[in-house]
Amino acid sequence: MNGIELRLPASFSAARHRLTLEALEPLHLPPFKGSALRGGFGITFKRLVCANAWPCGERCEGGNACPYGYIFETKPPEGSDALKKNEHVPHPFVIEPPADSRAEYAPGEQLIFDVVLVGKAQEYMDYFAVTFKELGRAGLGRGRGKFRVAKIKALDTLTTSDLEARAAELPTGQIRLRFLTPTRLVHDKEMVQDPPFHVLVRRLLDRVSSLSYFHCGERWETDFKGLIAQAEQVELAEARTRWVQVERFSGRQQERVSLGGFVGEVAYKGDIAPFRALLLLGSLAHVGKATVFGNGKYEIERGDGDREER
């Protein structure tokens, strides 16, 4: 089938690091640990790097020159017309919590999770390491259990050429995705549970183009409308999903905020070939809302049933 060739942004890159935490005291965490890890990291990071930690008001006054300002409140470049109506731009990192629902860790037991850094944010890995070490001294979760960072391991750094090479090995006529963490996809102002292929593609195009522009320094030029039209021809062949309700307490909003979304498997049938690199990148960068907490993580299953190893 003839169609548009999708090429990823040439300058896109992302790195994954694995952190191993060892409990020094009992850790009591929520079943979905992304909210606790992201919340503890954010508060500690701000306290460590900001000269005026809390008087900043609604937004960081330091802008992108402040490590906290860049990581959590990235400002668009001067004269930028991209996302000019949006108050915030996408965070350049993802915390990937363990997929299990374990909530209790005894002293000596380990909590292992990954951090994905996109583009320029890769330069800030030392800040992440120092912050989690300090968070371990301050304590995490209910009761503020203390831990130590036992190990930090760089897993891989993937560029556009790496992703496209791996994507060429994926099936072309049908594909199955396994969503591991709550995934929040919105289409026509409605939350979607069993996403048609074009909805998934729309949200991936949005996310990748924004990450590329704000954190990799490249405006992604491609035929978005044409790609969406092609994606509309791909069939949702199977959906075995369920909705998982997750909440977190927002200190800024002083209220509980939903992180709920769908998990499970979906299978698509049709001309998948043009979208393989985009789907693979999405498995690294996640998709949908609240990705910074680990939402929207999925794996790709190959035609032989094996999963794409990242």
Side-chain angles (χ1 to χ4, degrees):
M1 177 178 177
N2 295 324
I4 300 167
E5 181 182 8
L6 188 156
R7 299 300 303 270
L8 298 178
S11 61
F12 193 95
S13 68
R16 175 180 278 109
H17 298 260
R18 180 156 295 166
L19 280 73
T20 300
L21 311 184
E22 180 183 324
L24 301 177
E25 300 174 350
L27 295 180
H28 307 281
L29 303 174
F32 182 63
K33 292 170 278 294
S35 59
L37 291 168
R38 153 59 182 82
F41 169 74
I43 291 172
T44 307
F45 190 25
K46 190 175 183 71
R47 178 168 57 82
L48 285 178
V49 306
C50 293
N52 299 305
W54 297 113
C56 281
E58 290 298 319
R59 293 186 63 82
C60 175
E61 295 175 356
N64 293 351
C66 169
Y68 178 87
Y70 171 66
I71 293 295
F72 278 96
E73 299 176 5
T74 312
K75 287 188 175 180
E78 291 295 329
S80 168
D81 60 349
L83 291 186
K84 60 184 177 182
K85 295 182 179 179
N86 293 45
E87 182 181 355
H88 301 290
V89 300
H91 298 305
F93 75 97
V94 173
I95 291 178
E96 293 189 333
D100 61 70
S101 59
R102 183 179 180 185
E104 306 291 333
Y105 293 80
E109 293 184 323
Q110 294 183 338
L111 167 61
I112 301 173
F113 66 97
D114 291 352
V115 172
V116 178
L117 302 178
V118 176
K120 182 182 177 182
Q122 295 171 61
E123 302 171 10
Y124 291 77
M125 185 57 205
D126 286 346
Y127 286 96
F128 279 74
V130 169
T131 299
F132 276 106
K133 289 176 181 178
E134 178 60 25
L135 178 58
R137 288 187 281 269
L140 177 67
R142 180 167 51 86
R144 297 293 181 189
K146 292 179 173 52
F147 64 84
R148 73 179 185 94
V149 178
K151 186 177 182 181
I152 298 178
K153 180 180 180 182
L155 296 183
D156 51 21
T157 300
L158 296 177
T159 64
T160 290
S161 58
D162 297 325
L163 290 163
E164 290 180 342
R166 293 189 184 189
E169 301 175 358
L170 295 175
T172 60
Q174 60 183 16
I175 202 162
R176 182 178 296 272
L177 308 181
R178 185 189 302 272
F179 288 86
L180 303 175
T181 60
T183 303
R184 299 172 61 81
L185 300 183
V186 176
H187 182 62
D188 287 340
K189 299 182 180 180
E190 298 286 341
M191 199 71 71
V192 178
Q193 178 167 336
D194 297 331
F197 190 67
H198 74 90
V199 171
L200 177 63
V201 167
R202 288 171 190 265
R203 300 292 75 83
L204 285 171
L205 290 173
D206 289 344
R207 179 155 172 76
V208 173
S209 61
S210 296
L211 289 172
S212 177
Y213 184 81
F214 291 110
H215 303 296
C216 300
E218 178 184 352
R219 182 190 294 275
W220 189 19
E221 302 289 353
T222 191
D223 185 352
F224 294 101
K225 290 184 178 179
L227 288 168
I228 291 170
Q230 282 185 224
E232 289 174 340
Q233 304 306 309
V234 176
E235 174 189 355
L236 174 61
E238 182 183 355
R240 293 188 292 175
T241 65
R242 60 187 176 90
W243 192 265
V244 176
Q245 186 55 44
V246 179
E247 291 185 339
R248 73 177 182 92
F249 181 78
S250 170
R252 175 170 291 185
Q253 300 178 44
Q254 289 297 302
E255 63 180 4
R256 300 200 70 79
V257 178
S258 176
L259 290 179
F262 71 87
V263 297
E265 296 185 9
V266 294
Y268 299 106
K269 184 177 181 181
D271 186 14
I272 305 295
F275 304 98
R276 292 178 297 173
L278 181 66
L279 291 170
L280 187 59
L281 195 160
S283 72
L284 174 67
H286 295 212
V287 67
K289 293 183 173 295
T291 54
V292 71
F293 298 96
N295 281 38
K297 178 181 179 179
Y298 64 85
E299 294 178 335
I300 301 174
E301 291 193 355
R302 298 175 180 273
D304 55 8
D306 290 339
R307 298 172 189 168
E308 170 61 26
E309 295 295 335
R310 291 173 285 115

